[in-house]
Amino acid sequence: MAKRVFFSFHYQDVIDLRANVVRNHWVLKNDRKSSGFFDASVWESAKKDSPIAVKRLINRAISNTSNTCILIGSDTYERRWVRYEIIKSLASGNHLFGVHINKIRGRNQLTENYGLNPFDYLGYEYSDDGTKLNPIELKNGKWVYFKDYESYKLKSKPAKEKWGKSFKLSKDYDTHCWNKDSGYNNFASWTK
């Protein structure tokens, strides 16, 4: 069964066509079900509006999905709204996974080196009683609370040994390479 996937990406990767290869690979398949997903991404049309308007747009789009795919290009990890989309997806209970897209030939027909993985720069900290999760990010070599998203109440408590501890997202969530890991054939298996 096809899943609804929210794609998080840096807009430059759309201009360079790399993000489009992943988001539109279903076009070459027999039907949407064989691709394994329906795209629920939003364009940053509200970017010119207030941060609250951007958050509302993102929140609405993520609310109807079960998976969030982060398309990792050269500067994805630096983008404020990509970081927000990842944290919002985590808070919403979406399955997260990353896909490196820099080995896809861009508009200029060249590939690039891998970009930094946002999962290495974002994480979470359980409250001391295990009831809340505090989003954190790595800034200037230190883990700090993520300013765009407050702590949130968990539906169920984690194991007691996790209470009061912090974890990087890369510990829990997989990252694939579109080319090396045969994304065209395997994307559906990366969703849950």
Side-chain angles (χ1 to χ4, degrees), residues 56-97:
R56 284 183 184 144
L57 178 71
I58 293 168
N59 294 350
R60 274 194 306 271
I62 289 173
S63 71
N64 295 318
T65 63
S66 58
N67 287 264
T68 298
C69 173
I70 295 78
L71 299 177
I72 305 169
S74 298
D75 299 315
T76 307
Y77 84 103
E78 294 177 351
R79 307 305 297 168
R80 174 185 182 185
W81 297 119
V82 167
R83 292 193 310 271
Y84 178 82
E85 290 165 348
I86 293 169
I87 296 299
K88 176 62 182 175
S89 296
L90 179 69
S92 297
N94 275 21
H95 167 66
L96 299 171
F97 62 100

Side-chain angles (χ1 to χ4, degrees), residues 7 10 17 21 69 84 86 89 131 134 141 155 173 175 183 186:
F7 286 92
H10 179 7
L17 303 179
V21 168
C69 173
Y84 178 82
I86 293 169
S89 296
T131 61
N134 301 303
K155 292 176 185 167
Y173 299 101
T175 303
N186 293 319

